Amino acid sequence: MANPARRPLIAGNWKMNLGGRQGLDHRRRLADEIAAQADNQPQLVVLAPFTALPLLPEALAGTPVEYGAQDISAHDSGAFTGDISGPMLTGFGCRYVLAGHSERREHHGETDEVVHDKVAAALRHRLTPILCVGEPLTVRTAGQHLRHTLDQAERALTGPPVDDLTALVIAYEPVWAIGTGHVATPDDAQEVCGAIRGHLADRYGPAAAEQIRLLYGGSVKASSSAAILRQPDIDGALVGGASLDPGELAAIWRSAQPRT
Ligand code: PEP
């Protein structure tokens, strides 16, 4: 059983889907499913493409569903063609942003240093960064998954001061599980999340480590979520493909029982 002070969080990563008006029906259906969310219930956040952000305040008005973006520039303004800054995201009412998703590391060459700067930019603008870490299959097969994942976390959080780490969320997303249908076992997910929390305790002290929420992500579905979410160091899930189905996302959210 995880620390009840950490409110469970289910975050749906829409990736490059539901970017415009065609997604409005999804949002209405999700809002209907979640209508009864109360303060002590799990939190539900959707991470939408930039083009959907102007539509979200209206689409989600009066619902408890919160939203954020999938990427943030490390810079606040200037000659960075195609990038979107923290102030732009907060201007659209975003409260969350992904940093270091493996698809950005792979397709956009984002290094740990870049990820670090994006986490820092999010915190600077009072956005909650969801820092993604996790190993590829070759690293797991070699038995180096803990070292790899802790190194990624360490590099993303060191360097220039990261001012309010307790606002941080870390998602353990093994690359071999993302979009593959091969969900990690609850024990495997707990092993890594427990190691991340232990590392945070060594680095920043037990009190800070106890406050930081850790998610598991990688092929989570309603059929697999409850067992994963029961693990003591797992405070929620980052859900990709399954989040495109409002009924499925709502079922995952319902499986994240409030901690008593
Ligand atoms: C993700 O994109 O973060 C993810 C976990 O995807 P999926 O659930 O589809 O594996």
Side-chain angles (χ1 to χ4, degrees):
M1 175 70 70
N3 183 339
R6 298 191 300 268
R7 189 178 175 199
L9 168 63
I10 303 299
N13 173 17
W14 288 350
K15 311 196 188 206
M16 201 167 68
N17 300 291
L18 303 175
R21 297 224 151 255
Q22 84 278 17
L24 284 177
D25 180 50
H26 176 287
R27 297 190 261 284
R28 272 188 220 107
R29 286 170 53 207
L30 183 62
D32 288 348
E33 294 268 4
I34 304 298
Q37 184 175 2
D39 281 354
N40 68 342
Q41 289 188 298
Q43 209 170 1
L44 181 62
V45 171
V46 291
L47 302 161
F50 293 134
T51 52
L53 297 180
L55 304 170
L56 288 179
E58 189 186 333
L60 298 176
T63 82
V65 183
E66 299 176 69
Y67 62 91
Q70 298 168 15
D71 187 33
I72 180 174
S73 171
H75 308 280
D76 292 351
S77 64
F80 301 101
T81 302
D83 286 354
I84 305 286
S85 69
M88 293 172 181
L89 296 181
T90 54
F92 280 120
C94 289
R95 295 197 40 217
Y96 296 82
V97 67
L98 290 177
H101 192 282
S102 66
E103 289 156 11
R104 299 232 29 114
R105 293 179 192 258
E106 182 184 346
H107 303 306
H108 299 270
E110 288 190 7
T111 61
D112 289 327
E113 290 67 33
V114 170
V115 174
H116 169 275
D117 291 350
K118 292 186 173 200
V119 169
L123 291 172
R124 195 161 66 239
H125 294 290
R126 306 250 177 278
L127 286 155
T128 296
I130 303 178
L131 166 66
C132 301
V133 294
E135 79 286 354
L137 186 58
T138 48
V139 171
R140 173 155 285 261
T141 309
Q144 295 299 312
H145 50 287
L146 292 181
R147 187 69 277 140
H148 177 96
T149 304
L150 295 181
D151 282 352
Q152 277 185 326
E154 176 66 17
R155 284 196 287 264
L157 301 176
T158 50
V162 177
D163 42 6
D164 187 1
L165 277 177
T166 53
L168 179 75
V169 174
I170 300 179
Y172 168 55
E173 294 212 304
V175 179
W176 48 267
I178 297 179
T180 61
H182 299 303
V183 63
T185 65
D187 285 349
D188 284 346
Q190 166 58 30
E191 180 198 26
V192 180
C193 288
I196 293 172
R197 198 174 306 285
H199 178 76
L200 293 170
D202 291 345
R203 193 80 177 63
Y204 304 105
E210 274 303 306
Q211 288 185 58
I212 296 173
R213 289 185 290 180
L214 305 181
L215 314 183
Y216 166 78
S219 294
V220 172
K221 295 197 170 48
S223 55
S224 56
S225 56
I228 290 172
L229 295 170
R230 271 198 297 270
Q231 300 305 308
D233 286 299
I234 300 180
D235 305 305
L238 179 54
V239 185
S243 75
L244 299 179
D245 175 341
E248 184 76 9
L249 183 58
I252 293 169
W253 172 77
R254 279 192 287 272
S255 76
Q257 294 303 313
R259 310 272 162 68
T260 51

